[in-house]
Amino acid sequence: MTGFDRRKALTLGAGALGALALGVTPAQAATWKLRWNPDPAKDGLKAFEGLEDDRAGTHPVQHIFAESNQWRFLMHTRDRDTMTDRQRNEVRGMRSGGAAVPIKLNETWRLEYQAYWPSALTATTAFTHIMQMKVSGVDAPVWTLTPRMKGSTGRLTIAGDSASEVDLTDYAPLQNKWIDVMFEFKASHSGTLRCVIKNGSATVVDRKWNANLWRDTAYLRPKWGIYRSLNSSGLKDCYQLIRNYKGYQLV
């Protein structure tokens, strides 16, 4: 059982006790339902709605693939996107049993996974997104997870599609090891977003804030991989590893 799983069990237990105090049976209380838990060996890239691997065809090798118990996302300095000032090798959306798993208006979700960020996946002065929450049919992200160079220090940040950016923690201590990442959020114009990051047994980030997490369109879908601007110096060939994806909906 992971740290997130233990916390979830305690939260559900407290929720059931609170429900009884209000005269609601535990069966009627809201619970977290596991909606997405892909297996790299079984599902491979079919775990996702779509693939954005070298869209411009500038480097004809496979940049995104499943291996053993993880997914690997490669990025080379020679890679180019169809927008030639940037690079993009990402997956988008969740798929289970061959069907898309959309995040709809006013739904509350929790996404959990483990990420490995090597030293070569550097913090940059321009954008380097290693996770995005996007809206189907809309270009601007609802939020991004971005290692950003600020002065001489790399910071892991959350940024929305406005000028606001939330500093989470120093990036370097999280590199070259497996890190637990969790986003809990309500998909609403008056939404909330919570981000928890654990380095082993230590919780290094647990932040929650209000945010506009909806656009008037079909649904939200997460993206993972590497999406970075070429307008930063010191870019390197690099990769990101991700394993143990889980998507829970509060029902």
Side-chain angles (χ1 to χ4, degrees):
M1 181 180 285
T2 68
F4 290 143
D5 292 330
R6 285 191 291 271
R7 184 164 55 252
K8 197 166 17 273
L10 291 172
T11 300
L12 294 180
L17 291 173
L20 287 172
L22 293 171
V24 179
T25 66
Q28 294 172 303
T31 59
W32 291 105
K33 179 181 179 181
L34 183 63
R35 295 286 310 279
W36 186 60
N37 184 204
D39 179 348
K42 176 182 175 182
D43 302 304
L45 297 179
K46 293 181 180 179
F48 312 102
E49 274 191 73
L51 185 66
E52 298 173 2
D53 183 334
D54 189 26
R55 298 192 305 178
T58 59
H59 187 193
V61 300
Q62 188 173 9
H63 296 85
I64 306 170
F65 47 90
E67 57 179 19
S68 183
N69 66 339
Q70 63 195 21
W71 285 266
R72 182 178 292 267
F73 302 83
L74 300 177
M75 182 64 73
H76 308 94
T77 56
R78 62 170 288 183
D79 299 339
R80 296 292 183 272
D81 188 43
T82 50
M83 302 175 70
T84 56
D85 65 338
R86 61 197 64 188
Q87 305 174 295
R88 183 200 303 269
N89 291 324
E90 294 181 299
V91 294
R92 65 176 182 272
M94 303 176 289
R95 190 165 56 182
S96 180
V101 182
I103 298 170
K104 298 180 180 179
L105 180 62
N106 291 325
E107 291 182 346
T108 299
W109 281 75
R110 175 179 284 166
L111 298 179
E112 302 175 2
Y113 61 97
Q114 292 181 302
Y116 188 97
W117 304 314
S119 297
L121 181 54
T122 56
T124 52
T125 52
F127 68 84
T128 292
H129 303 323
I130 53 180
M131 183 273 178
Q132 302 186 74
M133 182 60 71
K134 298 290 290 289
V135 184
S136 61
V138 177
D139 288 337
V142 178
W143 81 76
T144 69
L145 184 63
T146 304
R148 181 89 66 185
M149 184 59 69
K150 298 193 172 185
S152 60
T153 303
R155 299 283 291 171
L156 195 63
T157 70
I158 293 280
D161 64 357
S162 65
S164 62
E165 184 170 272
V166 177
D167 274 16
L168 298 176
T169 188
D170 286 350
Y171 179 52
L174 305 179
Q175 293 183 275
N176 304 307
K177 63 187 74 174
W178 286 102
I179 297 297
D180 293 292
V181 182
M182 187 273 280
F183 295 102
E184 185 177 302
F185 58 97
K186 182 177 181 180
S188 167
H189 286 300
S190 301
T192 57
L193 175 61
R194 180 186 178 202
C195 178
V196 178
I197 296 177
K198 293 177 67 68
N199 181 357
S201 61
T203 299
V204 294
V205 174
D206 191 344
R207 297 279 301 274
K208 183 177 181 179
W209 59 95
N210 297 325
N212 180 0
L213 301 182
W214 188 255
R215 308 295 180 264
D216 292 321
T217 185
Y219 61 95
L220 303 185
R221 59 188 178 195
K223 299 184 76 176
W224 289 276
I226 302 172
Y227 176 41
R228 66 184 183 181
S229 169
L230 293 169
N231 296 319
S232 283
S233 60
L235 298 180
K236 300 177 181 180
D237 290 352
C238 64
Y239 63 91
Q240 175 177 197
L241 304 178
I242 297 182
R243 68 185 185 189
N244 295 336
Y245 281 115
K246 294 183 178 70
Y248 295 90
Q249 183 184 354
L250 191 63
V251 297

